[in-house]
Amino acid sequence: MEDIRIAHVPERESLPVISSAPAPHPDKGQVLVRMRAAALNFADILKSRGQYQEAEAFPFVPGLEGAGEVIAAPEGSGLRAGDRVAVWQPGTMAQIVAVPATSCLRIPDAMSFDEAAGLQIAYGTSHLALADRAKLAPGETLVVLGAAGGVGLTAVEIGKAMGARVIAVARGAERLRVVAEAGADEMIDSDATPDLKARLRELGGVDVVYDPVGDEPGLAAFGALNRGGRFLVIGFAGGKPPRLPLNHALVKNITIHGFYWGGYRQLDLAALRDSLTTVFDLYAAGKLHPHVGEALELDRIAEGYRLLAERKAVGKIIIRL
């Protein structure tokens, strides 16, 4: 098989570079996939800094999700050559990958590779967190922090698809326009709102907080939770975790859920696959509209890293392979 082009991060604090390498040979139980697109996530930035919870030795191939076409698949996998599949596995920034069959799932015919590449972690995180952990119910109020980001937008859409009233918190008019198009019922400009907790309380309080930001915004939203509310710890794009007052959690019967989508590969792979299947079904039904913020060729992957690190992206950054 021909040599392929791959991205790799050579050392801590470095941007990815492009090189050639022999195409991989699949081991028993693995699927060989010709990748067409892969997505960047904030986790890729953390991994390049040596700060991610699942550290990798340098150099490593970045990327945690992608999409492409099956070249070869083992018997009993349910896949065959030519199938269009989503792939969730570390190392997707390569033109050909060998991955476990359990890390592949067919995608709807109408879904593009760009959409499929960036849909899994973001939409998968939002669906599994809201449906499995928070048990979001129709008619409840959900607040989404960082709502214009890659994962925040998906929480807005998933929340609406589940029948919730969605309050979206984002920075600036352009981002608010994007979250409005995603279906938010109420929008809050964080740059123009000095007291987020008070504003959320004015809107009737919230039942579920979806927090990929952390820090002060997370603390403010926690303070607006109604009795019996649920707080989803998704990430810390704001730089550090929120200092949540556990005495308030006790008095108001608030539940705090830590949520790491990638951990479900070990915790409950069947739940992860079922959730993704539901997400694909929602897409096929026209209820989800993945937002590709930037689609860059592989040679421009370093530019994608900068956009993500500087929080200038609206929607997902996709690298075409």
Side-chain angles (χ1 to χ4, degrees):
M1 192 173 288
E2 78 274 17
D3 281 357
I4 61 170
R5 301 181 75 219
I6 65 170
H8 67 274
V9 179
E11 58 188 5
R12 185 189 292 261
E13 303 290 349
S14 65
L15 292 170
V17 296
I18 310 302
S19 61
S20 295
H25 294 280
D27 293 330
K28 184 178 179 180
Q30 287 191 319
V31 178
L32 201 63
V33 181
R34 184 174 298 278
M35 302 297 290
R36 299 300 184 185
L40 283 177
N41 290 277
F42 196 72
D44 290 298
I45 302 295
L46 295 177
K47 288 175 76 171
S48 70
R49 296 171 179 169
Q51 298 174 348
Y52 194 55
Q53 60 259 32
E54 292 182 356
E56 288 195 57
F58 295 92
F60 66 86
V61 178
L64 297 167
E65 59 180 336
E69 297 159 329
V70 173
I71 298 172
E75 290 187 14
S77 67
L79 299 171
R80 61 184 180 182
D83 282 348
R84 301 168 70 249
V85 293
V87 176
W88 61 92
Q89 186 76 12
T92 54
M93 294 290 176
Q95 290 180 321
I96 296 177
V97 299
V99 298
T102 52
S103 293
C104 299
L105 201 62
R106 285 193 192 91
I107 61 177
D109 291 340
M111 184 181 289
S112 71
F113 287 126
D114 284 0
E115 290 173 323
L119 176 146
Q120 300 155 71
I121 293 177
Y123 280 93
T125 291
S126 292
H127 181 266
L128 201 50
L130 292 172
D132 185 67
R133 291 291 194 178
K135 304 258 188 304
L136 180 67
E140 289 191 312
T141 296
L142 164 70
V143 62
V144 180
L145 305 182
V151 73
L153 276 174
T154 69
V156 173
E157 286 193 85
I158 294 287
K160 286 301 296 179
M162 294 178 67
R165 171 186 177 230
V166 179
I167 302 172
V169 181
R171 301 170 61 185
E174 175 60 22
R175 285 182 166 87
L176 291 178
R177 181 188 65 78
V178 172
V179 298
E181 291 175 353
D185 298 288
E186 304 277 356
M187 289 156 291
I188 298 175
D189 185 343
S190 57
D191 282 345
T193 307
D195 191 337
L196 178 59
K197 179 171 73 172
R199 178 61 184 140
L200 289 172
R201 285 180 170 176
E202 287 174 4
L203 293 171
V206 298
D207 300 301
V208 176
V209 174
Y210 184 96
D211 180 20
V213 178
D215 207 0
E216 293 303 316
L219 177 60
F222 181 88
L225 275 168
N226 297 324
R227 293 186 181 277
R230 288 86 76 201
F231 188 97
L232 290 166
V233 182
I234 304 297
F236 313 116
K240 57 184 177 181
R243 298 176 65 86
L244 302 180
L246 296 185
N247 57 320
H248 290 190
L250 184 153
V251 171
K252 297 176 71 175
N253 288 297
I254 289 169
T255 304
I256 300 168
H257 292 286
F259 187 85
Y260 169 41
W261 185 84
Y264 266 73
R265 285 197 293 265
Q266 290 77 41
L267 179 66
D268 193 340
L269 180 59
L272 186 152
R273 289 179 62 88
D274 288 347
S275 173
L276 277 181
T277 299
T278 300
V279 167
F280 291 162
D281 289 344
L282 288 171
Y283 173 94
K287 294 184 178 181
L288 304 179
H289 304 88
H291 184 85
V292 176
E294 297 280 350
L296 308 174
E297 298 302 318
L298 182 58
D299 289 331
R300 297 175 63 191
I301 187 173
E303 179 183 339
Y305 264 64
R306 292 189 188 98
L307 287 170
L308 194 59
E310 295 168 6
R311 300 180 68 183
K312 292 182 178 179
V314 178
K316 295 289 285 195
I317 298 174
I318 301 299
I319 304 300
R320 290 177 175 162
L321 301 163

